C-alpha cells in the first residue's frame, strides 16, 4: 500500500492563503500526500506582499533531490520562481524525472502587484523550464508575456496558446479570471501527435473578496488529479470544479482586512491509500 505523493515547489505565504500553504491544503483536501520544496520566504498578508527572501538555489535543489531520491512524487507542481539561477536549478532537477507530470503556475506578479520574477529571467524560464512541463497555467497577462501577444479576443487566446506550445510544454491552460464577463472561461490547448486539441471550461464567475491563492489552488488541484491517474482534460475539469466550490464556500468568511483566502476544506477527502 502507498499514499499518492505530490511535490510542490513554491514560495511560502506566512498568511496561509497562497503559495506552499495553499498548495499543501489543496493536495491534502484532495486525498494526496503533500511534500514541499520552498523557493522563497515572503512577508505578506491579505493586504499584499511587502518583501521576498529567495532561498539559495542549492538549498532548493537539495530539497527537491531529497524528495525525489526517497518518496518519488506522482506529480509535481511549480509555483513561484525568483531568478535565473533558481529556474536553471529546478530545470536540472526535473531532468532526472522526465516521466513525472509537472504543472507550472508561472507566478510573475502577486495579486497585489508586487513583482515576483525579474524580466531578465523570462527568457531563461521559456528556454529551460517550460520544455520540461506537462501543463502551464498562466492567467491572461502572464500568457501575454510568455507568448508576446496581447490577448483581447478568443482568437488572440488561441494564437497565444499556440505560441506557448511551440516552446515545448505539452499543454497550456490560459485562465480567464481577468476578464470582466459574468462567466469565466479557461482555454486548454493540448499538443499531441495528431495536432493541437482544444477544450474550454466555463463557470459562472463568483463575486468574492476572498480570491487570494486561486492560481496556486487550481494548479495544485490539477497536479493532484494527474497524480491520481486522471487524463489531463479531466484533471483540469476536476481542478476547476474544486476551485469553484472552494471560492463559493469561502466567499462570505472574513479572514484579514484585504483579499482573503478560499475554503480549501469545504469537503475534504481522507488521504488516499492505494
Amino acid at each position: 500500500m502507498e499514499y499518492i505523493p505530490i511535490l510542490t515547489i513554491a514560495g511560502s505565504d506566512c498568511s496561509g492563503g497562497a503559495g506552499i500553504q495553499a498548495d499543501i491544503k489543496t493536495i491534502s483536501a484532495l486525498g494526496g500526500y503533500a511534500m514541499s520544496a520552498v523557493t522563497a520566504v515572503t512577508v505578506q498578508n491579505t493586504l499584499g506582499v511587502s518583501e521576498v527572501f529567495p532561498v539559495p538555489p542549492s538549498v532548493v535543489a537539495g530539497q527537491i533531490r531529497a524528495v525525489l531520491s526517497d518518496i518519488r512524487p506522482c506529480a509535481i507542481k511549480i509555483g513561484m520562481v525568483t531568478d535565473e539561477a533558481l529556474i536553471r536549478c529546478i530545470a536540472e532537477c526535473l531532468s532526472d524525472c522526465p516521466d513525472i507530470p509537472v504543472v507550472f503556475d508561472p507566478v510573475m506578479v502577486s495579486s497585489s502587484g508586487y513583482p515576483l520574477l525579474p524580466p531578465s529571467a523570462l527568457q531563461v524560464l521559456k528556454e529551460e523550464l517550460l520544455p520540461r512541463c506537462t501543463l502551464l497555467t498562466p492567467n491572461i497577462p502572464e500568457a501575454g508575456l510568455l507568448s508576446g501577444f496581447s490577448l483581447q479576443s478568443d482568437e488572440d487566446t488561441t494564437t497565444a496558446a499556440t505560441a506557448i506550445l511551440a516552446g515545448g510544454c505539452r499543454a497550456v491552460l490560459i485562465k480567464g479570471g481577468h476578464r470582466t464577463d459574468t462567466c469565466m472561461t479557461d482555454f486548454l490547448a493540448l499538443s499531441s501527435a495528431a495536432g493541437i486539441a482544444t477544450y474550454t471550461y466555463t463557470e459562472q464567475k463568483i463575486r468574492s473578496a476572498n480570491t487570494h491563492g486561486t492560481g496556486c489552488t487550481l494548479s495544485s488541484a490539477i497536479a493532484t488529479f494527474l497524480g491520481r491517474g486522471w487524463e489531463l482534460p479531466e484533471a483540469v475539469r476536476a481542478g476547476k470544479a474544486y476551485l469553484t466550490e472552494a471560492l463559493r464556500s469561502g466567499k462570505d468568511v472574513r479572514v484579514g482586512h484585504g483579499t482573503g483566502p478560499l475554503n480549501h476544506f469545504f469537503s475534504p477527502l481522507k488521504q488516499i491509500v492505494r
Side-chain angles (χ1 to χ4, degrees):
M1 295 189 298
E2 61 182 3
Y3 295 126
I4 299 175
I6 310 294
L7 172 63
T8 170
I9 305 169
S12 171
D13 170 10
C14 56
S15 69
I20 286 280
Q21 286 80 352
D23 297 343
I24 290 173
K25 291 175 185 178
T26 301
I27 295 164
S28 301
L30 293 173
Y33 177 81
M35 307 177 293
S36 63
V38 180
T39 61
V41 174
T42 68
V43 177
Q44 66 173 294
N45 55 26
T46 64
L47 298 172
V49 179
S50 57
E51 292 183 277
V52 174
F53 299 92
V55 173
S58 61
V59 177
V60 177
Q63 295 175 79
I64 296 171
R65 294 193 189 282
V67 170
L68 292 178
S69 67
D70 183 31
I71 313 171
R72 192 169 180 83
C74 293
I76 297 171
K77 174 262 170 81
I78 304 173
M80 179 183 178
V81 293
T82 53
D83 54 40
E84 298 97 316
L86 179 59
I87 292 167
R88 290 191 173 100
C89 155
I90 294 173
E92 183 179 345
C93 290
L94 294 181
S95 68
D96 296 336
C97 50
D99 57 320
I100 299 176
V102 176
V103 179
F104 179 28
D105 179 24
V107 184
M108 299 177 183
V109 179
S110 76
S111 56
S112 61
Y114 191 98
L116 301 175
L117 182 71
S120 60
L122 181 59
Q123 193 60 33
V124 177
L125 184 149
K126 292 165 69 173
E127 292 176 356
E128 301 198 23
L129 189 53
L130 263 58
R132 303 191 185 278
C133 295
T134 307
L135 175 67
L136 193 67
T137 63
N139 58 32
I140 289 173
E142 290 162 348
L145 286 171
L146 290 166
S147 67
F149 293 96
S150 175
L151 281 67
Q152 304 296 329
S153 66
D154 292 343
E155 291 76 14
D156 295 337
T157 301
T158 301
T159 301
T162 302
I164 293 170
L165 289 178
C169 63
R170 181 188 168 202
V172 57
L173 178 69
I174 299 180
K175 300 174 292 190
H178 280 71
R179 298 199 188 280
T180 57
D181 306 340
T182 56
C183 286
M184 189 180 75
T185 298
D186 292 0
F187 177 84
L188 174 67
L190 173 61
S191 181
S192 68
I196 298 176
T198 60
Y199 305 80
T200 55
Y201 307 85
T202 300
E203 298 277 358
Q204 191 73 24
K205 198 162 191 174
I206 296 172
R207 302 296 176 186
S208 172
N210 297 331
T211 58
H212 188 45
T214 51
C216 308
T217 297
L218 177 60
S219 53
S220 295
I222 295 170
T224 304
F225 284 114
L226 288 175
R228 287 169 54 178
W230 295 38
E231 294 296 322
L232 183 55
E234 288 308 309
V236 172
R237 188 178 305 281
K240 280 188 56 60
Y242 170 79
L243 172 63
T244 297
E245 193 53 45
L247 277 163
R248 182 179 291 113
S249 298
K251 70 183 181 66
D252 297 321
V253 181
R254 184 169 180 177
V255 178
H257 297 85
T259 304
L262 317 179
N263 179 358
H264 292 92
F265 294 106
F266 61 88
S267 183
L269 297 179
K270 293 182 178 179
Q271 194 162 72
I272 298 170
V273 177
R274 62 181 185 183

